[in-house]
Amino acid sequence: MILFEEFYPILGIKENKKKGGRPSYPPCSMLKLLVYAKIDHIESARVIAEMTKYHDIYKFVCDRIKPSERSIQRYRDEFGRYYEVLLQMTLKMAVKKGFTEFNHVVVDGTIKKAFNSNQNMISKKETNLLVQFYKGLEVDLKKLEKLNKPAQKILNDKEMSNDEKLEILYDIRTQFKFTGQDKIPMNDIEARMMKGKKGNFLVAYNIQSAVDYDTKLICALNVTQNPTDHYQLPEVADKAINNIGKVPKHMSADTIYLNQISLSYFVNKGIDGLIPTRKQSKEKIGKLNPNQFHKDHFYYISDLDLFMCPSGQPMYFYKEYTQPNEEPDKPDKIKRLYNNYTACKYCIHRKSCLTDKQTHKTITENGGRLERAMFFKMEKEEYKEEFKKRPSVEGPFGIFKEQYHVEQEIVIGMVKTGERLNLDALAYNIKRLYNLIQGEQNNKEDIVDFCESISTTHQLKLDVTIY
């Protein structure tokens, strides 16, 4: 916990000094306790409280204070805004130790299940009906009787006043304005229905992460309500730049991030971004469409701005147009069309390439100048080699999710979810830093000496290969 002794004063936490009664617990001791418990993969406040009474290491870490379960929960919530600051300190220490210069940062997205079941949802129609009822307007009582269980809970709750119920319903109705979804979760109204990797739908948050390639340290996390990753890169990248204190040389991301907003961000920040096209991604993993006349097998010639079809015929640029984006605050989508009516008319592969209703083949290419420039860049060997670094970062983030039980954390609201994830990331980074330091100290000669000493002590045969 040397990190805390060095950086704790920077946080500026003021100790609450009571005039009477039991004194408050020292904030530094509580903070060390919370982070160490997270490093030890303990989430339950009750278990942490028990550990401070009976476990010697916990007694040492928290300076022998014995907080109650309730105090641990309260301090964990109150310290939420400090976790990201301490996360920054771990990144600065990595630079100070010479482990990284943050030359390549990888952006990726995943979803985290919210503390809300798929059944505990209320519809817009039910919300409006309850609002009318509690405002004293005339409502069909038969409709109230047919409400689903989540809406019935509000109706039958005798502990809340009508004004309190109206306030909750107004909050829910506000959430409907920010999303096109038909239902809003009752327990965590800021969460959204999202599609998981297995194809199932669940109430969740979209978690964006930025991870350093050299050290596998987490540079930043960002919690969003958007079900897709398309336009999320700038926000998490800004957080990463703020946390590491510099603009990385390279930043890579999946094909889903390939759009005008992400590419413009790279240009404005002076980042050498790496995002492959869909075809380049499919080609890399060997999943091109087996149909030889699919768009995947049409080769683009940049100098002539045309596609070459599998039959060796050119597909010339025809026209460019813009398609309005479904999200009003996002730029319109640029479409470029390529075709060759004459070549298709007399082509011997016409029946294999076209449907019965088609007279000729048209290739639709998404994106404008920036997208084409990224395509040309990703065709170069030097950038292909640099992009190969990206998959090595996905593993550590998967370990982070599994070992720190991110899915099991009971937190409600987007802000609180972000704060708890920053605590997880802080614990992960501290442990990762420790391993980096240990790896630096334990060079090959140290490991051989250790193995020899063990074999001598226990009279074992030394048969070790150091890679």
Side-chain angles (χ1 to χ4, degrees):
M1 290 293 166
I2 297 174
L3 180 77
F4 286 90
E5 306 299 335
E6 183 177 350
F7 295 117
Y8 176 76
I10 299 175
L11 299 177
I13 301 176
K14 294 182 180 179
E15 189 170 348
N16 184 19
K17 295 181 179 180
K18 297 180 181 179
K19 293 182 179 179
R22 183 187 297 175
S24 300
Y25 295 112
C28 184
S29 302
M30 287 296 293
L31 196 54
K32 289 190 293 184
L33 172 64
L34 292 170
V35 175
Y36 183 77
K38 181 58 69 173
I39 291 172
D40 204 24
H41 311 304
I42 295 179
E43 176 68 21
S44 169
R46 179 183 60 81
V47 175
I48 297 172
E50 290 298 310
M51 287 292 194
T52 61
K53 297 175 184 176
Y54 307 113
H55 200 289
D56 289 338
I57 295 179
Y58 277 81
K59 289 179 183 179
F60 172 75
V61 168
C62 70
D63 305 316
R64 298 190 175 276
I65 60 172
K66 296 179 181 178
S68 65
E69 177 184 349
R70 186 176 177 182
S71 295
I72 290 169
Q73 291 173 337
R74 181 168 57 84
Y75 273 86
R76 186 160 56 187
D77 286 340
E78 289 180 357
F79 286 158
R81 62 185 181 276
Y82 301 117
Y83 301 143
E84 189 169 16
V85 180
L86 285 169
L87 184 70
Q88 294 174 10
M89 300 303 108
T90 63
L91 301 172
K92 288 180 179 179
M93 182 168 282
V95 174
K96 184 179 178 182
K97 294 285 185 180
F99 295 133
T100 182
E101 293 182 358
F102 298 107
N103 287 323
H104 190 149
V105 173
V106 177
V107 172
D108 198 10
T110 187
I111 64 171
K112 176 193 179 300
K113 189 179 183 305
F115 187 59
N116 198 107
S117 71
N118 288 9
Q119 287 71 40
N120 192 19
M121 308 271 284
I122 187 169
S123 68
K124 192 173 185 179
K125 188 176 180 180
E126 290 173 327
T127 303
N128 290 333
L129 182 65
L130 288 173
V131 167
Q132 291 177 356
F133 176 73
Y134 287 114
K135 287 176 70 175
L137 301 177
E138 187 175 348
V139 173
D140 188 350
L141 296 179
K142 291 183 178 180
K143 290 184 178 179
L144 288 177
E145 292 175 0
K146 293 180 180 179
L147 289 174
N148 291 320
K149 285 185 179 180
Q152 287 282 356
K153 286 181 181 179
I154 295 179
L155 189 65
N156 299 328
D157 194 329
K158 297 180 181 180
E159 294 183 1
M160 284 195 297
S161 66
N162 288 355
D163 289 339
E164 289 174 330
K165 291 180 180 180
L166 266 176
E167 188 176 349
I168 291 173
L169 291 167
Y170 284 143
D171 287 341
I172 293 172
R173 199 155 71 171
T174 301
Q175 293 298 324
F176 279 113
K177 294 180 181 178
F178 293 121
T179 175
Q181 297 187 350
D182 299 328
K183 294 183 177 182
I184 292 295
M186 282 286 293
N187 197 43
D188 191 345
I189 64 174
E190 292 182 335
R192 296 288 177 265
M193 187 66 78
M194 299 182 186
K195 189 175 183 179
K197 289 187 176 180
K198 296 180 180 179
N200 58 321
F201 285 87
L202 62 158
V203 181
Y205 286 105
N206 185 347
I207 312 300
Q208 297 294 308
S209 63
V211 182
D212 175 49
Y213 166 73
D214 291 322
T215 59
K216 311 302 184 287
L217 290 172
I218 296 172
C219 300
L221 294 171
N222 189 49
V223 181
T224 75
Q225 296 171 304
N226 200 310
T228 66
D229 296 336
H230 290 91
Y231 304 107
Q232 308 308 313
L233 186 143
E235 196 168 350
V236 70
D238 275 339
K239 280 192 172 185
I241 291 170
N242 179 62
N243 288 347
I244 65 181
K246 63 171 288 189
V247 177
K249 181 181 178 182
H250 296 291
M251 186 173 286
S252 60
D254 276 335
T255 302
I256 197 169
Y257 295 92
L258 185 61
N259 55 65
Q260 192 175 344
I261 288 180
S262 299
L263 299 181
S264 297
Y265 178 85
F266 287 152
V267 172
N268 294 336
K269 291 291 184 179
I271 299 172
D272 197 0
L274 304 168
I275 307 178
T277 63
R278 183 177 298 179
K279 179 182 176 181
Q280 288 169 331
S281 294
K282 290 166 70 176
E283 191 174 18
K284 182 183 175 183
I285 60 176
K287 288 191 176 181
L288 292 176
N289 194 298
N291 181 1
Q292 63 172 324
F293 296 105
H294 188 268
K295 178 184 172 182
D296 287 351
H297 303 285
F298 282 67
Y299 179 71
Y300 182 71
I301 301 175
S302 58
D303 296 339
L304 302 176
D305 189 22
L306 58 81
F307 280 89
M308 192 65 70
C309 83
S311 299
Q313 296 294 334
M315 308 284 285
Y316 300 108
F317 172 69
Y318 171 57
K319 71 174 182 178
E320 180 178 296
Y321 70 96
T322 56
Q323 179 181 336
N325 201 309
E326 295 176 358
E327 301 180 53
D329 58 327
K330 301 297 186 296
D332 293 338
K333 298 177 181 178
I334 301 173
K335 305 279 187 178
R336 291 173 61 83
L337 304 182
Y338 297 80
N339 61 30
N340 188 340
Y341 177 80
T342 305
C344 289
K345 184 176 180 181
Y346 300 104
C347 182
I348 60 174
H349 300 291
R350 181 182 176 86
K351 290 185 178 181
S352 302
C353 185
L354 305 176
T355 64
D356 295 337
K357 294 183 179 180
Q358 287 181 314
T359 58
H360 61 283
K361 189 84 168 182
T362 299
I363 298 295
T364 303
E365 190 70 3
N366 297 315
R369 177 180 57 84
L370 292 175
E371 284 86 348
R372 292 200 302 278
M374 180 59 72
F375 170 80
F376 302 145
K377 180 197 287 188
M378 294 304 295
E379 287 293 303
K380 297 178 181 178
E381 287 301 321
E382 59 179 299
Y383 288 105
K384 287 182 180 180
E385 288 299 315
E386 188 66 31
F387 190 76
K388 284 180 181 179
K389 296 178 179 180
R390 190 185 181 283
S392 67
V393 177
E394 294 180 356
F397 191 70
I399 293 170
F400 161 73
K401 285 178 62 180
E402 290 297 325
Q403 291 189 354
Y404 291 91
H405 310 294
V406 172
E407 297 289 351
Q408 283 77 44
E409 291 174 340
I410 302 175
V411 281
I412 295 174
M414 194 160 64
V415 173
K416 290 298 179 185
T417 299
E419 290 175 350
R420 187 63 63 85
L421 284 170
N422 280 328
L423 174 59
D424 297 329
L426 171 60
Y428 169 87
N429 277 9
I430 290 173
K431 197 168 183 178
R432 180 68 190 145
L433 265 177
Y434 173 80
N435 290 336
L436 288 170
I437 293 169
Q438 290 299 109
E440 184 184 56
Q441 292 173 350
N442 296 332
N443 55 33
K444 191 175 290 188
E445 289 75 18
D446 294 332
I447 297 172
V448 171
D449 291 342
F450 172 75
C451 292
E452 286 179 344
S453 66
I454 292 296
S455 65
T456 303
T457 303
H458 298 283
Q459 296 182 347
L460 301 174
K461 180 183 177 183
L462 178 62
D463 187 13
V464 180
T465 303
I466 306 296
Y467 294 96

